[in-house]
Amino acid sequence: MAADLGELLVPFMPTIRVPRIGDRVFKSECAFSYDSPESEGGLYVCMNTFLGFGREHVERHYRKTGQCVYMHLKRTIKEKATGASGGAIPQRRNGKVFLDLDLNCDFNGDDYEYEDEARLVIFPNHYEIPLPNIEELPALVTIACEAVLNAKSPYRRQEPDSWDDEIQVSKHASGLRQLDNGVRIPPSGWKCSKCELRENLWVNLTDGSVLCGKWFFDGNGGNGHALEHYRETNYPLAVKLGTITPDGADVYSFDEEEAVLDPHLAEHLAHFGIDMLQMQKTENGFTDSDVSPRISEWEVIQESGSKLKPVYGSGYTGIKNLGNSCYLGTTMQVLFSIPEFQRAYVGNLQRIFDYSPLDPTQDFNTQMAKLGHGLLSGQYSKPPVKSELIEQVIKEEHKHQQKGISLKMFKALTSKGHPEFSSSRQQDAQEFFLHLINQVERNSEGSENPSDVFRFLVEERTQCCQSRMVRYTQRADNIMQLPAPMEAAVNKEELIAYEAKRQEAEVSRRSPPPAVRARIPFSACLQAYTEPENVDDFWSSALQAKSAGVKTSRFKSFPEYLVIQIKKFTFGLDWVPKKLDVSIEMPDLLDITHLRATGLQPKEEELPDIAPPIVVPDEPKDHLMNNFMDSPEIDESAVMQLAEMGFPLEACRKAVYYTGNMGAEVAFNWVIAHMEEPDFAEPLVVAGFSEIDSSSSAAVPVADNQPPEESVAILTSMGFPRYQALQGLKATNNNLEHALDWIFTHPDSEEESEAASDIADPEGNANASASASANATADNEPNGPRVRDGPGRYELFAFISHLGRSTMCGHYVCHIKKEGRWVIYNDHKVCLSERPPKDLGYIYFYHRIPS
C-alpha cells in the first residue's frame, strides 16, 4: 500500500511545497467565497500556493493553474449528547490535525464537540488519501502536510500591527489574591489616596486602593502613586476608574508591564462593591445608571427593548464583528444595498473570478465580488430548519441562528498599509467610507465605477471683503457634511437648566441630574450648512495682499445617491474628543433643489486670476535634494501628545511636520483644520522642490519633481484624468489642496492637455491617454470629475448609527429599508426593525427620486 501511494504521488512531487517563512496558508476561508472547513463541502488547500477553495471553486483553480494536489479539511460540529457534563472542555477528535485553525462559528464550547478530518485529494480523478498517514506517504509529503496543518493564521503574518498586539489574559487573573479589608469603592467622588488628584485614577484589585497613574511627558496624568504602591506591595493588577462598562474595562498589570485582560473582572470588582454590569464608561466618573433614568442611546439604537424578528435570505446576511470592525461591516452592508454596486461586482461575478490573478486574496475586485455574493446570495443566511425550531421551543430557548460571514480576508486587503484601518482599534465609519470609495475608484479603470453615484460638484463662492470682488471655484465631493448647531436646539431652556444643575452637582460632589438630549431641527442644520464662513489667510488677487474673505458653498450638481454626515464629534476644552448628544429628526423625503449653485451673477466682478507669490527657500538645490532623500525631522514627543488624544498617528506626524515642529498646541490647531480632509490619516509624504521657471507662469514644470503617487490617486479618485492630476500637483509644488484649485482654474483643451501630459508623466503616458478617453464620456465636463447630475429630490433608504462617546470607541449598527420595511443590521444579527431611530444616526444615505 505504501508503494502504491508513493507511486501515485510521484508525478506530482515537484508541485508539492513545504510552507516557508513568509508563506501564508489559507486553511480557514475560501479565496472566492465564505466556505470554510465547517461548510458542507469543507475546504481544499492547494499544496503549492496554500490558497483555500470551497468545493464550488477548487475546480476553477485546478483548471487555471494545473495544480493537482489539495488538502481537504472538514470539520463536523455536533451538539453534545444529553447528560454530558456541563462545563467540560469540548472533545476534539483527531486533535492534532487542525492546530491553529481559525473558527468561523460562535458555538458555546460547553455544548458542542467537533470532529476533524483531513485528507489529500488528487485532481482531476479525486483520489483521496486519509491523513495522518506517516508510514505510507513520502517524507516530503508528510512534512508538507504537517507544516500546513500547523501553520499560523495568515492574518497574523500579514498584519502584525493588527493581531500580534492583541491584549492577552493576565497570568495573575485566575489566582488573584484579594484582601478582605472591607473596602468599598463609591460610584463617584474618587481621588488619589496619596495626592488628592481626581483624574487618571486606578483601583488596585488586591486591596482596593485608589491611586493616580503615571506622569505623562506633557505634564498631564498623575504622580505615579499606583506604580509606587505596586513596588511596595507587589499587588499586580489595577483597573482604571471611569472605563468600567458591562463589556469590560482598562486593566493594567504592573508585573507584566502591559494592558491585560481579566476574565474574572466582574467577580474581582464585586469584591469592592462595584457592579460591573450596571456601569457605563463616563468621563467624570459617574455611571449612566447614576446619571439618567432615560433609555440610553445604546438601547434606542439597537432596539434592545423589543423582541425583534430575525430575517433570512438574500440581502439579509449578517457580518461577524472581528473586534472593533463594526465600522467596516455597517459600511459594506449599506454599499451592497445599492444596485450599482450589486451590478458592478455581483453582476460580473463570473468574469471577475475567471480573470482574477493567481493570488485572488490580494485582488480588490475579487474580494469585493466575493463579499457582495456572500451578502446577497442568501447562502450564508438560512433560517433554522423545523426540527431546530421545535427543539428551541421545548428548551424554551430563542437563539439567533444566523452566524454571519467573517471579513478577515477583506479587512486585511482593504486596510493593508493604512496605519489606522489595519489596527484592531475602532475607527470612524465616515473615514472608512471615503477610504473604500478611493479604492473602488483605483480599481475601476476600464470598467464601471459604482462610486460615481456618490460624487457631486460643489461650487464655492469666495468674496474679498474689501474689494467686494468674487471668485468661483469647484471641487468634487462624496459626502455632504451637516453641522449640528447647538444654539438652534428647540429645548434650549431645558439644556441650560440641566447644565446649571450638572455644574452644581459637580461642585457638591453629588450625582448629576438626568441628562437632557438637545433636539435640533433638520432645517437648522441645513441653514448652518449654507451660512458664509470666514476664510483664514485669504490672499486677495485684487489687493495683492492678504485680506478678509468669506466663502459660501452650493451644489453645482446633485448626486445619484446623497450621503449626509452629521458632524456630531467635536473637542472639549481639555482636547478630549466628544460626541454631541443630539436628536435630529431626519426627513424621509428631502428636497435640496434650492441649494443648486447659480454661478457668476451679472453685477458681480471676478477677482483677477493671479496666483499668490511662491516663496522659494534660499538653500541650494543640492541641499534641498538631500532633504528630499532624508527622512523629515519630526518632534516625536509632540506626535505622541497628539496621539494620546486619540488622533491617527500618521495625522499627528503630518501635523507636527507641517507646523514646523513648533509644539503640540500649534499642531493641534492644524489637526482641527484638516481632520475633514480625505487624506487626513494617510502617511506623510514629503516631496522635494523643483526649479521654477519664472519666465512664464503657464510653463509646465520640469519632470524631476514627480508628484507622490498617493496624491495622484486622491485626485484621480475624484474623477480627474491622471494627466490633470500630475499637472496640478507639479504646478503647486505637490500641494494637494492648491492642486485641486489649479485644475478647476486651468481647463486646458484636450490637445494641450495631452501634450502637457507627455512632459508631466512620460512613464504613465499610456495610462493618461486611457484615462482621458474614459473621462470623455462624463455626463457634464469631459475633463472634470464624472458626476450624475439630476433633480435634487431624495428619499432616505439607509443610515449608520454610532453608539458611544467617540469614534475611537463604541459600536456601529445600520438600518436599511428593503422591500418597504426597515431592517436593522447589528453585526451578525439581522432583524426587522420596529422603531428605527432615524433621529440618532451619524451617516444618512438618500437615493434620488426619479422625476
Side-chain angles (χ1 to χ4, degrees):
M1 181 65 181
D4 293 342
L5 287 180
E7 293 175 3
L8 184 64
L9 288 169
V10 165
F12 311 107
M13 291 293 287
T15 67
I16 298 176
R17 291 200 305 118
V18 178
R20 298 188 297 266
I21 296 176
D23 283 336
R24 294 170 299 142
V25 180
F26 294 90
K27 58 181 180 178
S28 60
E29 181 181 348
C30 171
F32 293 105
S33 71
Y34 292 94
D35 288 348
S36 70
E38 297 131 29
S39 302
E40 183 179 353
L43 192 73
Y44 295 81
V45 179
C46 175
M47 294 301 293
N48 181 269
T49 64
F50 311 118
L51 296 170
F53 303 96
R55 178 189 292 172
E56 182 182 353
H57 301 285
V58 65
E59 291 281 356
R60 175 189 286 107
H61 186 259
Y62 159 69
R63 292 192 304 268
K64 192 170 187 176
T65 64
Q67 299 297 334
C68 298
V69 183
Y70 295 81
M71 181 183 292
H72 182 237
L73 304 177
K74 182 72 177 79
R75 167 162 288 174
T76 304
I77 301 176
K78 302 176 182 178
E79 190 170 1
K80 286 185 177 180
T82 305
S85 58
I89 298 176
Q91 295 182 0
R92 181 183 291 199
R93 304 175 188 174
N94 300 334
K96 294 184 179 180
V97 173
F98 280 22
L99 285 176
D100 200 39
L101 175 65
D102 292 330
L103 281 171
N104 288 329
C105 294
D106 293 326
F107 292 113
N108 186 333
D110 294 341
D111 299 329
Y112 293 87
E113 61 186 11
Y114 51 90
E115 179 179 352
D116 298 340
E117 297 178 47
R119 62 189 67 229
L120 287 180
V121 180
I122 303 176
F123 282 70
N125 297 320
H126 290 267
Y127 291 119
E128 295 186 355
I129 304 173
L131 297 175
N133 207 336
I134 299 175
E135 295 82 5
E136 301 178 359
L137 292 177
L140 174 65
V141 178
T142 300
I143 295 171
C145 291
E146 285 292 324
V148 168
L149 292 170
N150 289 280
K152 298 290 184 182
S153 165
Y155 309 108
R156 289 193 178 93
R157 288 188 182 275
Q158 186 174 356
E159 304 294 342
D161 292 339
S162 303
W163 301 95
D164 290 347
D165 294 337
E166 289 181 352
I167 299 176
Q168 303 297 320
V169 174
S170 171
K171 64 182 180 182
H172 300 288
S174 58
L176 183 69
R177 174 174 166 240
Q178 291 191 286
L179 303 182
D180 192 11
N181 54 10
V183 172
R184 290 293 180 267
I185 307 297
S188 60
W190 310 314
K191 62 181 179 180
C192 175
S193 59
K194 291 188 177 181
C195 67
E196 303 292 319
L197 275 180
R198 297 183 178 274
E199 57 186 25
N200 191 25
L201 298 176
W202 297 73
V203 57
N204 189 287
L205 288 178
T206 296
D207 63 0
S209 299
V210 176
L211 299 159
C212 60
K214 64 180 180 180
W215 175 84
F216 297 125
F217 42 77
D218 62 352
N220 293 322
N223 296 315
H225 289 137
L227 178 59
E228 287 183 8
H229 186 67
Y230 161 71
R231 290 169 177 167
E232 295 170 357
T233 62
N234 284 327
Y235 298 157
L237 299 184
V239 175
K240 187 173 183 179
L241 292 171
T243 68
I244 303 171
T245 72
D247 299 320
D250 294 348
V251 183
Y252 187 82
S253 172
F254 296 105
D255 178 44
E256 297 157 284
E257 296 185 342
E258 63 179 352
V260 295
L261 295 177
D262 180 2
H264 310 286
L265 183 60
E267 177 185 343
H268 292 157
L269 291 172
H271 182 82
F272 299 111
I274 300 175
D275 187 349
M276 176 175 163
L277 299 180
Q278 298 299 318
M279 298 288 285
Q280 291 203 7
K281 186 184 296 186
T282 64
E283 293 168 10
N284 59 5
F286 299 108
T287 67
D288 277 0
S289 58
D290 297 326
V291 172
S292 171
R294 72 173 184 183
I295 300 176
S296 72
E297 177 188 60
W298 289 73
E299 294 173 299
V300 174
I301 292 178
Q302 298 186 101
E303 304 185 52
S304 302
S306 306
K307 291 185 178 180
L308 302 180
K309 179 182 178 182
V311 285
Y312 306 92
S314 174
Y316 300 110
T317 302
I319 297 177
K320 285 184 60 177
N321 194 327
L322 306 176
N324 290 329
S325 67
C326 48
Y327 68 91
L328 181 150
T330 52
T331 302
M332 300 315 300
Q333 290 283 13
V334 173
L335 288 183
F336 274 108
S337 70
I338 296 174
E340 282 77 3
F341 276 81
Q342 297 174 3
R343 183 170 59 249
Y345 295 107
V346 184
N348 293 315
L349 185 79
Q350 290 304 321
R351 182 183 63 81
I352 293 174
F353 283 0
D354 288 342
Y355 289 95
S356 63
L358 292 179
D359 186 358
T361 67
Q362 298 302 299
D363 182 61
F364 179 81
N365 290 332
T366 299
Q367 294 308 309
M368 283 289 284
K370 166 185 170 180
L371 173 54
H373 179 264
L375 293 176
L376 300 175
S377 65
Q379 184 176 342
Y380 306 99
S381 176
K382 297 179 180 179
V385 296
K386 188 175 181 180
S387 60
E388 292 176 341
L389 289 173
I390 295 174
E391 185 178 354
Q392 288 184 35
V393 172
I394 294 174
K395 293 183 176 181
E396 297 184 351
E397 295 178 348
H398 300 281
K399 297 179 180 178
H400 197 288
Q401 295 295 315
Q402 187 174 155
K403 305 171 187 68
I405 57 177
S406 174
L407 304 191
K408 286 184 178 180
M409 190 178 293
F410 182 80
K411 183 178 186 295
L413 175 63
T414 56
S415 63
K416 186 177 182 180
H418 194 285
E420 289 301 317
F421 297 133
S422 62
S423 73
S424 57
R425 298 184 292 273
Q426 185 64 279
Q427 303 297 329
D428 189 340
Q430 178 255 1
E431 291 181 5
F432 179 75
F433 170 78
L434 294 176
H435 172 74
L436 189 84
I437 292 304
N438 191 14
Q439 291 192 323
V440 170
E441 176 77 28
R442 291 185 193 181
N443 291 277
S444 296
E445 191 167 335
S447 60
E448 178 187 7
N449 177 13
S451 68
D452 285 348
V453 299
F454 300 120
R455 190 178 300 109
F456 57 92
L457 294 179
V458 177
E459 180 182 271
E460 294 184 338
R461 176 186 182 273
T462 307
Q463 183 174 37
C464 173
C465 294
Q466 285 184 259
S467 67
R468 313 305 296 175
M469 300 175 75
V470 298
R471 173 179 293 122
Y472 283 87
T473 57
Q474 296 179 15
R475 62 176 173 84
D477 211 335
N478 291 297
I479 290 184
M480 179 185 187
Q481 295 181 314
L482 281 187
M486 296 294 289
E487 65 276 8
V490 296
N491 57 339
K492 193 178 301 182
E493 294 182 0
E494 192 178 358
L495 291 169
I496 294 174
Y498 160 73
E499 184 62 23
K501 292 180 181 179
R502 187 194 64 79
Q503 293 181 3
E504 181 182 344
E506 187 175 331
V507 171
S508 58
R509 300 182 186 178
R510 291 185 286 106
S511 297
V516 177
R517 178 175 293 135
R519 299 194 304 274
I520 302 175
F522 175 75
S523 58
C525 300
L526 214 54
Q527 179 64 30
Y529 174 81
T530 62
E531 290 292 326
E533 59 177 299
N534 294 325
V535 180
D536 295 330
D537 295 325
F538 174 69
W539 190 84
S540 172
S541 58
L543 305 175
Q544 294 286 300
K546 286 188 177 182
S547 172
V550 293
K551 180 176 68 175
T552 55
S553 301
R554 295 293 186 272
F555 284 84
K556 183 69 174 178
S557 68
F558 291 122
E560 186 78 20
Y561 288 82
L562 179 64
V563 183
I564 298 179
Q565 176 201 14
I566 304 298
K567 298 171 71 173
K568 289 187 172 184
F569 297 97
T570 183
F571 295 88
L573 297 176
D574 52 1
W575 294 10
V576 175
K578 294 181 179 180
K579 178 179 172 183
L580 300 177
D581 189 9
V582 295
S583 169
I584 301 173
E585 201 61 49
M586 298 294 290
D588 287 311
L589 300 177
L590 174 62
D591 189 347
I592 56 172
T593 306
H594 63 286
L595 295 183
R596 185 177 284 277
T598 57
L600 184 68
Q601 297 301 296
K603 294 184 179 181
E604 291 180 332
E605 186 178 357
E606 284 191 278
L607 284 162
D609 188 14
I610 302 174
I614 299 176
V615 179
V616 181
D618 295 331
E619 289 89 341
K621 183 178 178 181
D622 291 342
H623 177 68
L624 293 175
M625 292 304 296
N626 290 336
N627 287 344
F628 175 75
M629 299 300 295
D630 296 338
S631 298
E633 294 184 5
I634 298 177
D635 183 357
E636 293 297 338
S637 64
V639 172
M640 294 310 299
Q641 289 183 48
L642 293 175
E644 289 285 342
M645 302 173 200
F647 298 116
L649 181 61
E650 289 298 331
C652 300
R653 289 176 58 80
K654 288 198 292 187
V656 174
Y657 174 77
Y658 287 127
T659 55
N661 292 315
M662 296 180 65
E665 185 172 356
V666 177
F668 173 78
N669 294 330
W670 187 96
V671 169
I672 298 302
H674 294 80
M675 64 186 306
E676 304 294 344
E677 296 177 357
D679 62 341
F680 176 66
E682 295 293 334
L684 171 65
V685 178
V686 182
F689 294 96
S690 64
E691 294 183 357
I692 299 174
D693 184 359
S694 58
S695 61
S696 172
S697 61
V700 178
V702 293
D704 61 350
N705 179 24
Q706 193 67 13
E709 195 59 36
E710 293 83 358
S711 299
V712 176
I714 291 172
L715 290 174
T716 55
S717 72
M718 298 177 182
F720 298 110
R722 180 179 175 84
Y723 68 81
Q724 273 196 321
L726 288 164
Q727 283 182 277
L729 288 166
K730 284 178 171 288
T732 57
N733 200 28
N734 296 330
N735 184 300
L736 187 61
E737 184 176 355
H738 293 168
L740 193 58
D741 291 336
W742 187 94
I743 290 173
F744 279 119
T745 55
H746 292 76
D748 295 336
S749 66
E750 188 172 352
E751 293 78 8
E752 291 173 343
S753 299
E754 289 179 355
S757 67
D758 294 340
I759 301 175
D761 188 19
E763 297 180 359
N765 191 40
N767 291 335
S769 300
S771 178
S773 62
N775 279 280
T777 60
D779 293 321
N780 284 18
E781 301 177 25
N783 292 329
R786 296 180 297 272
V787 296
R788 300 185 181 184
D789 197 6
R793 296 183 298 275
Y794 296 92
E795 181 178 1
L796 180 68
F797 76 94
F799 60 95
I800 296 174
S801 304
H802 175 266
L803 303 82
R805 294 182 174 271
S806 167
T807 54
M808 305 302 173
C809 62
H811 182 55
Y812 287 96
V813 302
C814 68
H815 288 72
I816 305 175
K817 194 174 186 179
K818 293 189 175 182
E819 300 175 328
R821 56 187 184 176
W822 283 97
V823 181
I824 178 173
Y825 293 79
N826 188 356
D827 292 337
H828 63 282
K829 300 184 288 290
V830 181
C831 302
L832 292 179
S833 172
E834 293 186 357
R835 295 185 298 274
K838 301 174 189 175
D839 61 321
L840 298 179
Y842 175 45
I843 305 174
Y844 294 86
F845 295 80
Y846 286 81
H847 66 81
R848 179 184 289 145
I849 300 174
S851 55

